[in-house]
Amino acid sequence: MLDQDALRWEALLSRDPAPDCGAFLYAVTTQGVYCRPGCPSRPPLRRNVRFYADAPSAEAEGFRACKRCDPKGERAAIHAAAIRAACDLIEASEATPSLATLADRAGYARHHFLRLFKEITGVTPHSYAASVRARRLQASLAAGDRVAEAVAGAGYGSESRVYEAPGRVLGMTPGAARRGGEGETIRIATATSALGPLMVGATESGVCFIGFAEDFDALEGDVRQRFPKARIEPAPEALAETVRQVVAFLEEPKAALALPLDLRGTAFQRRVWEALQAIPFGETRTYGQMAVAIGAPRAVRAVARACAQNHVSLAVPCHRVVGADGDLTGYRWGVPRKRVLLAKERAGAKG
């Protein structure tokens, strides 16, 4: 088994910003600087490297922070504050501010601002503004405003722009959103699984809910909260095969749970959910690694939120994401069950 320094050296060479061996910094004796493991500079010779747990330890021995990878996070904090201010401006504006306006306010060149914005938030300013408009539209429709008024108030030029791609904007038509899902039918079916009561919900498009480990009333309450005015219809026969697959997976996971899904979320959430589905069976990833996987290495918190907002557990395996130190962190259905799921998947992968 490799010792701690050997693991750190491997992480340094692979430029892994969130290594499994835990957080660390490394110093290069010939340059007098210390860096993060993901530093883009040329890898040093092993004999010139020293490893440290934190910045004070490296600085105590005379090393200074690298200007390229910013190991103390000072430059990153300045960038994050600038992007936060840009997001606030988008939120407060009736019309979407131009890229030039946002970049000038932040004090950056347009191309540099665009790169920073996408790196920190995971989306472009245009996509972020689109999500703000969609949120305003959703709130107005939920409050009972007429569709035309809600569309205009949210900043859309016309109703046609919303109706052209309702799934991308709201996950449903504006009329259905205004009615709280009224007009839709959500079929549900229940079973007893290895991890407690199980409920599956599905629309005509696919599975929209998988929940377990709570009593059936609570699980149905989750479905109704998401679709408050939809028709909830028991359909044990229609969903029998789907339920059988989920129960079998909870009993003895052997492969990915492949089901037709009705995923409704923002563009960023969908990117995260697709990345979750790409995690190999029997393996885990950290939130930092997931952020890197979707091309937004600084959007770790946003990735964590998207994982928490996943409504189809198991099919979109958010249980395969852990903290940087290996801690199981939170899980909608309980950390003990997350531990059981991961143990079963590791055993299944070895078998």
Side-chain angles (χ1 to χ4, degrees):
M1 180 178 291
L2 297 177
D3 62 24
Q4 184 77 342
D5 280 357
L7 291 172
R8 288 172 169 176
W9 175 245
E10 287 190 354
L12 185 162
L13 292 178
S14 64
R15 288 191 170 90
D16 186 350
D20 292 335
C21 57
F24 70 91
L25 299 173
Y26 70 90
V28 184
T29 58
T30 53
Q31 297 177 2
V33 301
Y34 65 92
C35 307
R36 297 179 185 273
C39 184
S41 60
R42 178 183 300 178
L45 296 176
R46 177 66 182 88
R47 65 173 179 269
N48 297 328
V49 173
R50 296 180 187 174
F51 294 109
Y52 295 95
D54 50 40
S57 301
E59 291 177 356
E61 296 195 11
F63 294 101
R64 66 183 185 280
C66 171
K67 292 184 178 180
R68 294 191 68 182
C69 65
D70 187 28
K72 295 180 74 173
E74 294 174 342
R75 188 170 69 249
I78 294 173
H79 290 167
I83 300 306
R84 252 193 325 269
C87 291
D88 290 343
L89 180 59
I90 294 173
E91 296 272 0
S93 302
E94 290 186 12
T96 303
S98 67
L99 177 61
T101 298
L102 293 170
D104 288 345
R105 284 284 196 95
Y108 297 112
R110 268 183 274 186
H111 70 279
H112 184 51
F113 172 81
L114 183 61
R115 180 180 63 80
L116 283 177
F117 194 99
K118 188 173 182 180
E119 192 174 275
I120 292 172
T121 67
V123 295
T124 63
H126 177 78
S127 294
Y128 186 89
S131 70
V132 171
R133 289 198 305 272
R135 201 182 329 126
R136 290 174 182 166
L137 177 59
Q138 178 73 64
S140 295
L141 293 170
D145 292 350
R146 295 172 60 85
V147 172
E149 295 170 353
V151 167
Y156 293 96
S158 66
E159 291 181 46
S160 63
R161 294 187 60 189
V162 178
Y163 280 101
E164 282 169 2
R168 189 166 67 241
V169 175
L170 295 171
M172 61 186 79
T173 65
R178 180 175 181 266
R179 297 187 298 271
E182 186 178 352
E184 284 198 282
T185 297
I186 312 297
R187 298 174 299 161
I188 60 173
T190 61
T192 300
S193 73
L195 294 182
L198 165 74
M199 180 173 288
V200 173
T203 65
E204 292 183 357
S205 301
V207 175
C208 63
F209 178 79
I210 298 176
F212 56 95
E214 293 181 352
D215 63 64
F216 293 128
D217 287 342
L219 293 171
E220 185 174 333
D222 283 349
V223 178
R224 291 186 180 280
Q225 183 176 14
R226 193 173 183 214
F227 302 96
K229 295 184 180 179
R231 179 183 178 187
I232 308 300
E233 180 180 279
E237 293 183 3
L239 295 176
E241 176 57 23
T242 299
V243 170
R244 186 198 66 75
Q245 290 183 54
V246 179
V247 169
F249 184 90
L250 287 170
E251 181 67 34
E252 188 177 356
K254 290 184 178 179
L257 185 57
L259 297 170
L261 302 177
D262 183 356
L263 298 178
R264 303 183 183 190
T266 65
F268 180 81
Q269 288 172 330
R270 293 182 187 186
R271 284 169 58 197
V272 173
W273 297 340
E274 288 171 3
L276 288 171
Q277 292 174 291
I279 299 176
F281 177 73
E283 297 183 17
T284 60
R285 297 289 185 270
T286 65
Y287 291 102
Q289 289 171 329
M290 293 301 296
V292 171
I294 64 169
R298 298 189 189 181
V300 177
R301 291 185 179 179
V303 166
R305 285 195 298 272
C307 289
Q309 291 159 345
N310 166 35
H311 296 282
V312 284
S313 305
L314 309 177
V316 175
C318 53
H319 62 276
R320 294 178 188 163
V321 186
V322 299
D325 59 357
D327 185 78
L328 297 188
T329 65
Y331 185 52
R332 170 67 179 81
W333 311 110
V335 170
R337 294 177 183 85
K338 181 174 183 176
R339 184 176 292 109
V340 170
L341 280 170
L342 291 176
K344 285 186 175 184
E345 289 192 358
R346 282 192 293 267
K350 291 178 181 178

